[in-house]
Amino acid sequence: MKNIPIVGSLLVGQMKEPFSLEELTSSNYNPFMERSIANGAFAPSRKSGILASNAVLDKRMTWGLGAFYADTDDDGDSNFDDVTNFDLTLRLTGLPYYEDDGEKLLHLGLGYSHQFRDEGETDARYRNRPESHLTDARLVDTGGIDLDDADLLNPELAFVWGPFSLQGEYFWTGLDASAADDPSFQGAYLFGTWFVTEEHRAYSTSSGAFSRVKPKSNFSPSGGGLGAWEIGARWSWLDLTENDLRGGEENNFTLGVNWYWNPNYRFLFNYVYADVDDREGAEDGSANIFQTRFQVDF
């Protein structure tokens, strides 16, 4: 339901919780093949619930507030009889600087989620693949934690100056888990990208997230069009060790090259170096990952 006075829009169903710039930017538009390890470990992603949201101050600010069932599977099915396990999530974003239709901008955001759980009946587990869904290996993993409640905090930053961009986020999770001595975990990422062909990352002021890149000239062997070429580098970090819990610490370094044939076709190449230590029952080690994707979206 749209155009509700003061509220703006009201959405009911299965959706992404309003949390994390990287999560709310579609995987079709993110400059790397996979989201960061910190995002994958902490961002709530899709659940069934209700969300109120709006873009205000001439779309220089967005807000979203929603309540979501925790027990939602990948198909959107939820245990609606269990009202003790749910998330209350809020996100605010602002554009203190925005020029030339988004060719130059500064984005600031803050997300918060309180996760209501039932101690003795709810297990939480924090882990993630090493920024590659080509493997099922989780290089860091807390195992199950008996959980009462959890708080998630997520400041965001993004900067675009023509073909150059920076983006970073920090994730902090504090647990009310008496059996594990109330641990907290954290993670972060920072990346930079540059369009060699002088495009810029597109930004949606209505959602406070990035959107589709449009090449200045589509790739055309006969017409001489090169498409858009983008290079990027990312550091991401995930620390799942505190108190007696040694889920491990992982630092990833990713290099990426993207070739946009047109707004709907692109080719991606990523190299990921993952370094892991301090995980109980496992030796310190590293992984090297090379992966490519040819992507069509419409």
Side-chain angles (χ1 to χ4, degrees), residues 146-290:
D146 187 18
L147 181 66
D148 190 16
D149 293 298
D151 291 289
L152 284 68
L153 189 66
N154 169 231
E156 312 168 359
L157 171 69
F159 174 73
V160 175
W161 191 267
F164 175 74
S165 78
L166 285 173
Q167 180 176 317
E169 296 183 70
Y170 172 74
F171 299 83
W172 178 87
T173 299
L175 308 185
D176 181 2
S178 55
D181 200 20
D182 298 334
S184 62
F185 306 120
Q186 56 188 329
Y189 74 84
L190 178 67
F191 70 68
T193 67
W194 176 50
F195 277 97
V196 181
T197 46
E198 297 296 316
E199 287 81 6
H200 67 89
R201 295 184 71 197
Y203 183 88
S204 169
T205 55
S206 61
S207 64
F210 286 96
S211 57
R212 186 182 303 276
V213 170
K214 297 181 180 179
K216 289 182 178 294
S217 63
N218 291 338
F219 173 61
S220 173
S222 59
L226 297 176
W229 285 83
E230 180 185 31
I231 58 176
R234 179 176 65 191
W235 162 77
S236 56
W237 163 64
L238 181 59
D239 186 357
L240 300 180
T241 293
E242 183 164 315
N243 303 331
D244 294 330
L245 278 172
R246 292 179 53 204
E249 182 176 0
E250 181 174 348
N251 282 274
N252 282 13
F253 302 90
T254 302
L255 297 175
V257 178
N258 301 324
W259 182 19
Y260 300 80
W261 288 12
N262 57 46
N264 302 95
Y265 288 69
R266 67 172 177 165
F267 178 83
L268 303 88
F269 168 79
N270 282 184
Y271 164 68
V272 182
Y273 173 77
D275 182 74
V276 181
D277 57 26
D278 203 23
R279 179 176 172 184
E280 185 174 5
E283 295 182 359
D284 297 349
S286 62
N288 293 276
I289 302 167
F290 300 86

Side-chain angles (χ1 to χ4, degrees), residues 98-105 200-203 205:
Y98 185 82
E99 296 289 343
D100 300 331
D101 293 327
E103 191 170 344
K104 299 175 182 176
L105 65 85
H200 67 89
R201 295 184 71 197
Y203 183 88
T205 55

Side-chain angles (χ1 to χ4, degrees), residues 48-161:
S48 295
I50 182 169
L51 171 68
S53 63
N54 204 355
V56 297
L57 302 179
D58 197 24
K59 295 189 176 180
R60 298 291 288 265
M61 178 181 176
T62 73
W63 63 267
L65 174 64
F68 305 88
Y69 283 96
D71 299 324
T72 304
D73 62 24
D74 290 340
D75 296 322
D77 295 328
S78 299
N79 180 11
F80 293 106
D81 294 331
D82 186 359
V83 297
T84 60
N85 289 346
F86 71 96
D87 301 348
L88 186 63
T89 305
L90 168 70
R91 179 179 184 246
L92 299 171
T93 74
L95 287 171
Y97 178 68
Y98 185 82
E99 296 289 343
D100 300 331
D101 293 327
E103 191 170 344
K104 299 175 182 176
L105 65 85
L106 175 64
H107 162 103
L108 301 176
L110 181 65
Y112 170 74
S113 180
H114 184 78
Q115 298 181 333
F116 297 87
R117 300 295 186 264
D118 193 1
E119 191 168 18
E121 298 183 13
T122 304
D123 273 351
R125 187 175 189 176
Y126 299 92
R127 59 179 184 167
N128 200 13
R129 295 176 174 90
E131 295 175 354
S132 174
H133 275 69
L134 299 176
T135 176
D136 289 328
R138 273 77 168 181
L139 303 185
V140 288
D141 189 344
T142 63
I145 304 171
D146 187 18
L147 181 66
D148 190 16
D149 293 298
D151 291 289
L152 284 68
L153 189 66
N154 169 231
E156 312 168 359
L157 171 69
F159 174 73
V160 175
W161 191 267

